[in-house]
Amino acid sequence: MRTLSAVEGLTYGLSLAVQPELLLAALIGAIAGTIIGLLPGLGPTAGAAVLLPLTYTMSPTAALVMIAAIYYAVMYGGSTSAVLLNIPGEAPSVVSSFEGYPMAKQGRAGPALFIITAGSFLSGTVAVILVTFLTPMLSRVGLLFGPAEFFAITLGGLLVLSRVMGGSWASGMIPMVLGLVLGTIGEEGVTGRYRFTYGILELTRGLDLVAIAIGLFGITELLVLAKQKNATSMVGKIRVRDLLPTRDDLRRSIGPWLRGSPIGFFFGLLPGPSATLATFASYRVEKAVSKRKHLFGTGVVEGLAGPEAANNSAATSSVIPVLALGIPFSATLALMLSALVVHGVTPGPLLIEQHPEIFWGLIGSLYIGNVILVILNVPLIGVWVSFLRTPYHLLIPIVTVLAFAGSFSARRSYVDLYAILALGALGYLFRKIGYQLAPLLVGFILGPLMERNLREGLILSRGSISYLFTEAIAMWIWVLVLLTLMISGIGVARTRRKKRRLSASQVGLAPLDDD
């Protein structure tokens, strides 16, 4: 069979996607994924694992469609709970709480959720188009990356994040280092040795990302809310017309949607928690280009629209390494790979030629699935917003039980429950002293990946550390990292000078000498 062109393949995929079996698979996945995402602690891995046996009775294409639908629907549901309750249902939804939750507290939960839905649909569509036309080239580019390149991306990304999140060096670096330390608990990725387990069997699997995210952001927020006696949300009854954003909201969202989509698409092709990294990167980009950067954290539309677009775009493009290379970069994608293997299909570079119905059927269903997600969730936005009218003294215990139950159900580990409590207390302390929480989470995520690539690079170079910095692509990555840090440092210095001038002018003194 001849290889289909991109246009022919997409047309063929759409014709398959509208068949009853694939439509039903996408619908089940979208409904299940949204519900799972709304419940704190339950993520796409848990949902896909529960429904995986059901896929054995389906065709290989339908099985992939349902797991993929769960994956991107969880991103929407997790963002919804992050906006309404400041409890991210999934790690990539953490960034949504930065601006979405303040919007909700201002009585603008409806527009925030509408922006999430519209951004997810637009970015998913853009990602599908990019996947269709760029898959052959992207598969070749991915093969050029080795341990040196991935080490540069991970360590460089951590350094940049700790600096650009604002505040002092200590407020970013100390949480980041703590996240790296927590990421070393459990089985070491290269030799398989156990570290820092102290004889506790459950620690051999390490700490769970969901538990870290819920404790660090969710429980921290619940502790803050607990201080507000007899309080309830600022959001009252929401009318239908209140759900629509203003023209200014839409105007300010278009740019972030268009920027977040390619950012997410790129991160989706890389190993590791691509959607999580994409949201943080998009948030930083929007803060850098915005004229309202001083208002970020108070409910800025751009800070919600960009990361949400990046989130969904990364979830869409992350299926490409599985199909083109047979390499899953996350647990959910590993389940997708399992579904293929069970049906006797070998993923890899020949998949497009040998099984075009699987590849193009999934691509077509990704677009149809985004349409289904909009149809399902736009009419139900008012239902999600209604949760905000629950008094805090009722909401806090309910959310706490759901958070602990959801986290425990993922791995059935009591260590995860202790981790939620410990990280909740630590996050509350960090909030009090002005430390950043995001670098801790990203350090925990990237630490194991960074260490593995460091070890593999040293093995390949027979212990030469220069290998990690002198490889052509890695060297350019380090140049970009250094430039970013320099630009950030200059920006911080300018901000401090402005503050000194302002302080001097307020007391009637001449501005201080910059030197």
Side-chain angles (χ1 to χ4, degrees):
M1 181 177 180
R2 72 179 182 86
T3 302
L4 299 176
S5 66
V7 176
E8 291 174 332
L10 182 58
T11 304
Y12 177 51
L14 290 174
S15 68
L16 294 174
V18 296
Q19 294 180 0
E21 183 186 22
L22 297 191
L23 279 177
L24 181 61
L27 179 62
I28 293 174
I31 294 175
T34 302
I35 295 174
I36 290 168
L38 285 169
L39 300 176
L42 292 179
T45 303
V50 170
L51 296 179
L52 185 61
L54 180 62
T55 66
Y56 298 161
T57 62
M58 301 177 176
S59 67
T61 308
L64 287 183
V65 167
M66 188 168 74
I67 294 177
I70 292 173
Y71 191 28
Y72 55 71
V74 162
M75 302 302 175
Y76 175 85
S79 298
T80 301
S81 63
V83 168
L84 298 182
L85 306 175
N86 203 30
I87 305 292
E90 184 67 9
S93 304
V94 168
V95 178
S96 300
S97 65
F98 294 172
E99 306 299 332
Y101 186 60
M103 288 182 65
K105 292 199 295 184
Q106 297 165 12
R108 306 189 66 235
L113 295 179
F114 186 93
I115 289 170
I116 287 175
T117 304
S120 297
F121 175 76
L122 176 64
S123 62
T125 303
V126 172
V128 170
I129 294 174
L130 291 174
V131 165
T132 301
F133 291 94
L134 300 180
T135 295
M137 181 184 70
L138 292 173
S139 63
R140 291 192 295 268
V141 171
L143 294 175
L144 298 177
F145 279 73
E149 287 74 22
F150 287 126
F151 176 76
I153 289 176
T154 51
L155 179 55
L158 285 174
L159 293 174
V160 170
L161 177 66
S162 66
R163 181 60 272 170
V164 301
M165 286 299 293
S168 64
W169 273 100
S171 68
M173 290 296 293
I174 291 178
M176 184 198 75
V177 171
L178 180 57
L180 292 174
V181 172
L182 293 177
T184 63
I185 297 175
E187 184 178 4
E188 193 267 311
V190 177
T191 64
R193 295 179 178 178
Y194 296 131
R195 301 179 299 184
F196 308 111
T197 58
Y198 305 104
I200 302 174
L201 182 61
E202 289 183 323
L203 281 179
T204 58
R205 296 185 295 173
L207 299 178
D208 184 46
L209 174 60
V210 173
I212 297 293
I214 289 178
L216 195 60
F217 291 92
I219 300 303
T220 296
E221 184 62 30
L222 292 180
L223 291 174
V224 174
L225 293 179
K227 296 181 63 177
Q228 306 176 22
K229 297 181 179 180
N230 300 320
T232 186
S233 172
M234 299 293 292
V235 176
K237 186 176 181 180
I238 304 296
R239 297 164 295 183
V240 174
R241 63 174 178 268
D242 295 330
L243 301 178
L244 296 177
T246 64
R247 290 184 179 180
D248 183 60
D249 289 336
L250 291 176
R251 178 184 60 80
R252 290 164 53 188
S253 298
I254 293 175
W257 285 338
L258 296 179
R259 287 187 291 268
S261 296
I263 289 174
F265 184 86
F266 170 76
F267 275 95
L269 302 173
L270 302 177
S274 55
T276 303
L277 299 179
T279 56
F280 279 104
S282 176
Y283 186 79
R284 175 53 194 163
V285 168
E286 295 310 318
K287 189 174 182 179
V289 303
S290 176
K291 298 178 180 178
R292 304 176 177 87
K293 53 175 62 69
H294 62 288
L295 296 177
F296 269 62
T298 64
V300 178
V301 171
E302 294 91 327
L304 176 65
E308 275 305 311
N311 187 353
N312 193 269
S313 182
T316 301
S317 65
S318 62
V319 303
I320 297 307
V322 177
L323 301 179
L325 304 176
I327 301 175
F329 288 157
S330 72
T332 307
L333 298 176
L335 291 174
M336 185 180 293
L337 187 67
S338 300
L340 279 176
V341 174
V342 165
H343 288 86
V345 178
T346 303
L350 298 179
L351 179 67
I352 300 178
E353 295 182 4
Q354 296 179 349
H355 300 280
E357 74 284 357
I358 294 178
F359 179 83
W360 293 112
L362 176 61
I363 298 302
S365 292
L366 289 176
Y367 184 84
I368 299 297
N370 277 295
V371 176
I372 292 176
L373 201 60
V374 172
I375 295 174
L376 281 176
N377 288 289
V378 168
L380 297 178
I381 284 181
V383 176
W384 314 142
V385 173
S386 67
F387 281 113
L388 284 176
R389 297 198 298 271
T390 305
Y392 287 162
H393 70 274
L394 296 177
L395 184 64
I396 290 174
I398 292 174
V399 174
T400 301
V401 170
L402 287 175
F404 278 90
S407 179
F408 182 76
S409 67
R411 302 200 308 173
R412 298 187 179 276
S413 171
Y414 288 100
V415 169
D416 293 341
L417 303 184
Y418 295 132
I420 290 177
L421 290 174
L423 268 297
L426 181 65
Y428 183 78
L429 175 62
F430 277 3
R431 284 271 294 267
K432 284 292 185 180
I433 62 179
Y435 276 20
Q436 306 292 331
L437 300 183
L440 192 155
L441 179 66
V442 179
F444 176 79
I445 293 171
L446 289 183
L449 181 62
M450 181 184 69
E451 181 185 13
R452 184 169 64 249
N453 285 295
L454 171 63
R455 299 282 295 276
E456 291 177 354
L458 292 176
I459 292 173
L460 289 174
S461 63
R462 298 183 179 181
S464 175
I465 195 70
S466 62
Y467 164 79
L468 299 171
F469 301 93
T470 56
E471 288 293 296
I473 299 179
M475 184 171 61
W476 282 109
I477 294 174
W478 285 116
V479 169
L480 292 176
V481 169
L482 291 175
L483 288 175
T484 303
L485 293 176
M486 290 174 59
I487 294 172
S488 176
I490 293 173
V492 171
R494 287 179 176 175
T495 301
R496 290 177 177 174
R497 286 198 296 268
K498 289 180 180 178
K499 289 182 178 179
R500 289 202 301 268
R501 291 193 183 101
L502 180 60
S503 299
S505 64
Q506 288 176 344
V507 297
L509 299 177
L512 297 176
D513 194 309
D514 293 344
D515 297 325

